[in-house]
């Protein structure tokens, strides 16, 4: 278990609970692959994330980071404590074979308290060389800021806590044709060939393919609002609202022999809303109960950056003995792609203490409703990959101009 002192003292450059729990020796963080947490060697999809005991998982399994959203779905400064359970004996834990990561949010009290932070960086603060090669960082600025506030509404009775965090960030790229001078070049296509493809798309088909940007903006916004009600000495209740909306960008088709114009990129994001009501009761010195009701709704989105209505186009090129495929238009898997789901969680648990024994029992129910639309190539996929080779490096570009597949 990591308490508030650990959360404040440990280096958390990404403002993510994974920055802290990675110090647990039972855990491995795959920093090379979206920072996923592997517990005892298990894939991150086998873990469960709970916030105040309520599951907040990627119920469709699209994400590799262990979250239902692009980043941690709640503000870092909203966390009071986080624990990692690999093989708990408590019957109330379930729904995972890797580990359960439980975050406990802060609550208000009789005294007002709060915090604020601000992070800033820009292109001049980033390195511009890698092993002697120049790197074009573009012209960008990135900032992240947030605040918390907690205190009483009615002293000794009703309390509130608020936490907010916002990222106005960037995603960097440095890819281009063989002679572009980019850090990551695709040798099978030249800058002249790329310019010719872009000109054809605009003049013949009326489509703007975009560019090869050094950076593109991304953002992420999180909010937690919590009310705690001390009903009397034996009963208390809490209500929590959690909101997150953020996205990253994907190049879609990349690699040593594939190069995408920016309007082939797509936004990969989600909007999350979660509501949780807890009631805790101590009926006597021996018997206590917990009642929980939760609703979790997620809208997943995978939206192409470019204008819709223009299908995916692939153009084969040859340059100095190497070949490549250049991509433009709407990615074939993003042309009809929509996902959202709702989860309802109900729980009643009772605990009875008798002598040296604790008897626990209860009922829990999860309801999951999913809508998923996924149809590839509804706007078309067109491949211009014939009649070209080392002896005719621009043959497929000519076919693209003339509309010959």
């Amino acid at each position: 278990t990591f308490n508030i002192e650990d959360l404040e003292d440990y280096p958390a450059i990404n403002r993510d609970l994974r920055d802290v729990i990675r110090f647990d020796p039972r855990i491995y963080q795959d920093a090379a692959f979206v920072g996923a947490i592997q517990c005892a060697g298990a894939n991150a999809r086998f873990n469960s994330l709970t916030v105040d005991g309520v599951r907040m998982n990627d119920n469709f399994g699209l994400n590799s980071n262990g979250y239902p959203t692009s980043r941690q779905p709640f503000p870092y400064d909203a966390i009071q404590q986080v624990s990692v359970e690999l093989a708990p004996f408590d019957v109330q834990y379930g729904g995972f074979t890797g580990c359960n990561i439980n975050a406990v949010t802060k609550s208000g009290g009789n005294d007002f308290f709060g915090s604020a932070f601000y992070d800033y960086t820009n292109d001049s603060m980033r390195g511009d060389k890698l092993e002697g090669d120049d790197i074009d960082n573009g012209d960008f600025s990135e900032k992240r800021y947030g605040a918390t506030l907690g205190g009483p509404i009615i002293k000794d009775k009703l309390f509130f806590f608020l936490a907010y965090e916002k990222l106005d960030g960037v995603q960097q790229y440095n890819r281009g044709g063989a002679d572009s001078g980019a850090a990551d070049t695709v040798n099978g296509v030249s800058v002249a060939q790329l310019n010719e493809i872009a000109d054809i798309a605009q003049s013949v088909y009326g489509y703007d393919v975009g560019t090869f940007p050094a950076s593109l903006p991304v953002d992420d916004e999180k909010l937690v609002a919590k009310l705690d009600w001390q009903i009397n000495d034996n009963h208390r209740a809490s209500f929590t609202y959690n909101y997150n909306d953020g996205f990253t960008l994907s190049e879609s088709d990349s690699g040593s022999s594939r190069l995408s114009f920016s309007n082939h990129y797509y936004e990969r994001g989600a909007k999350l809303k979660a509501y949780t009501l807890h009631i805790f009761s101590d009926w006597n010195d021996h018997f206590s109960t917990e009642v929980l009701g939760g609703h979790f709704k997620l809208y997943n989105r995978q939206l192409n950056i470019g204008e819709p209505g223009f299908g995916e186009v692939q153009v084969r090129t040859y340059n100095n003995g190497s070949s490549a495929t250049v991509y433009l238009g709407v990615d074939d898997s993003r042309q009809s792609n929509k996902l959202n789901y709702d989860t309802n969680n109900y729980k009643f648990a009772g605990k009875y203490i008798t002598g040296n024994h604790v008897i626990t029992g209860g009922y829990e129910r999860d309801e999951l409703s999913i809508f998923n639309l996924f149809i590839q190539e509804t706007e078309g996929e067109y491949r211009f990959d014939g009649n070209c080779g080392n002896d005719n490096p621009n043959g497929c570009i000519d076919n693209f101009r003339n509309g010959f597949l």
Side-chain angles (χ1 to χ4, degrees):
T1 298
F2 299 90
N3 56 31
I4 186 63
E5 290 79 14
D6 298 323
L7 295 169
E8 291 175 345
D9 293 344
Y10 283 26
I13 190 66
N14 298 307
R15 301 192 60 79
D16 191 302
L17 58 83
R18 295 177 298 184
D19 291 340
V20 176
I21 64 174
R22 66 189 176 91
F23 288 97
D24 188 321
R26 303 169 298 171
I27 285 175
Y28 167 70
Q29 184 179 22
D30 189 354
F33 187 62
V34 300
I37 291 294
Q38 298 179 4
C39 298
N43 186 283
R45 288 186 173 91
F46 292 97
N47 300 335
S48 179
L49 171 68
T50 54
V51 180
D52 293 332
V54 179
R55 283 189 284 275
M56 191 174 288
N57 294 320
D58 176 17
N59 291 323
F60 201 74
L62 286 179
N63 293 345
S64 302
N65 61 3
Y67 294 138
T69 49
S70 299
R71 301 171 185 83
Q72 177 178 287
F74 43 86
Y76 183 78
D77 288 337
I79 307 171
Q80 176 74 26
Q81 176 182 296
V82 60
S83 60
V84 181
E85 301 282 352
L86 268 75
F89 290 98
D90 194 327
V91 70
Q92 297 188 61
Y93 288 100
F96 63 93
T97 56
C99 66
N100 184 80
I101 302 169
N102 183 52
V104 179
T105 56
K106 295 176 181 176
S107 295
N110 276 332
D111 297 319
F112 286 99
F113 64 92
S115 65
F117 79 93
Y118 182 84
D119 296 338
Y120 177 82
T121 188
N122 60 28
D123 55 282
S124 64
M125 299 183 187
R126 298 276 179 99
D128 57 6
K129 288 184 181 296
L130 177 63
E131 297 180 349
D133 296 327
D134 291 334
I135 296 176
D136 180 12
N137 286 321
D139 182 10
F140 75 88
S141 63
E142 179 176 282
K143 57 186 177 182
R144 183 167 46 185
Y145 52 90
T148 66
L149 179 64
I153 299 175
I154 302 174
K155 282 201 171 185
D156 299 320
K157 200 74 173 175
L158 188 62
F159 314 96
F160 77 94
F161 175 75
L162 299 170
Y164 177 80
E165 186 173 319
K166 178 71 186 297
L167 168 68
D168 294 321
V170 297
Q171 202 160 316
Q172 290 187 279
Y173 305 88
N174 205 318
R175 306 195 74 221
D179 52 343
S180 64
D184 184 6
T185 58
V186 176
N187 293 327
V189 60
S190 68
V191 171
Q193 289 173 316
L194 292 170
N195 290 338
E196 186 174 2
I197 292 171
D199 289 341
I200 294 170
Q202 183 67 65
S203 61
V204 177
Y205 300 96
Y207 181 76
D208 179 8
V209 299
T211 61
F212 297 101
S215 62
L216 289 171
V218 296
D219 64 58
D220 192 87
E221 186 175 34
K222 319 177 204 286
L223 171 69
V224 163
K226 187 176 183 181
L227 289 174
D228 287 276
W229 179 24
Q230 191 69 40
I231 302 170
N232 54 41
D233 290 341
N234 298 318
H235 303 275
R236 62 186 176 89
S238 68
F239 174 78
T240 306
Y241 170 70
N242 191 174
Y243 169 85
N244 178 221
D245 189 358
F247 69 92
T248 59
L249 297 171
S250 174
E251 196 174 344
S252 185
D253 292 287
S254 61
S256 61
S257 62
R258 297 187 294 180
L259 187 60
S260 300
F261 284 99
S262 61
N263 279 351
H264 189 64
Y265 297 7
Y266 68 94
E267 175 186 317
R268 194 172 190 273
K271 178 187 288 186
L272 175 149
K273 294 182 179 180
Y275 310 83
T276 306
L277 176 65
H278 259 117
I279 301 175
F280 301 91
S281 299
D282 295 322
W283 299 99
N284 53 48
D285 291 340
H286 300 279
F287 184 59
S288 61
T289 59
E290 174 191 353
V291 178
L292 178 150
H295 176 70
F296 171 101
K297 188 172 186 65
L298 184 131
Y299 305 86
N300 181 279
R301 61 182 183 271
Q302 299 195 27
L303 305 174
N304 198 258
I305 290 180
E307 290 295 323
F310 193 88
E312 178 176 286
V313 174
Q314 303 177 19
V315 182
R316 180 70 58 82
T317 60
Y318 287 81
N319 178 60
N320 293 331
S322 298
S323 67
T325 301
V326 178
Y327 290 81
L328 56 138
V330 179
D331 176 69
D332 60 345
S333 296
R334 251 46 64 175
Q335 295 174 12
S336 293
N337 192 324
K338 186 175 182 180
L339 169 67
N340 57 65
Y341 55 80
D342 293 82
T343 302
N344 293 315
N345 177 239
Y346 311 98
K347 176 183 176 181
F348 172 80
K351 183 180 292 186
Y352 185 77
I353 301 174
T354 172
N356 295 324
H357 303 280
V358 177
I359 301 172
T360 301
Y363 172 82
E364 186 169 4
R365 176 182 174 86
D366 287 323
E367 298 174 348
L368 176 61
S369 175
I370 298 175
F371 174 83
N372 179 228
L373 169 67
F374 179 66
I375 307 175
Q376 290 183 304
E377 302 166 0
T378 56
E379 295 176 350
E381 180 186 88
Y382 308 95
R383 301 185 182 187
F384 297 90
D385 56 4
N387 300 320
C388 57
N390 289 321
D391 57 344
N392 186 20
N394 293 338
C396 293
I397 298 177
D398 293 335
N399 288 347
F400 177 45
R401 177 185 292 105
N402 298 321
F404 298 149
L405 293 174

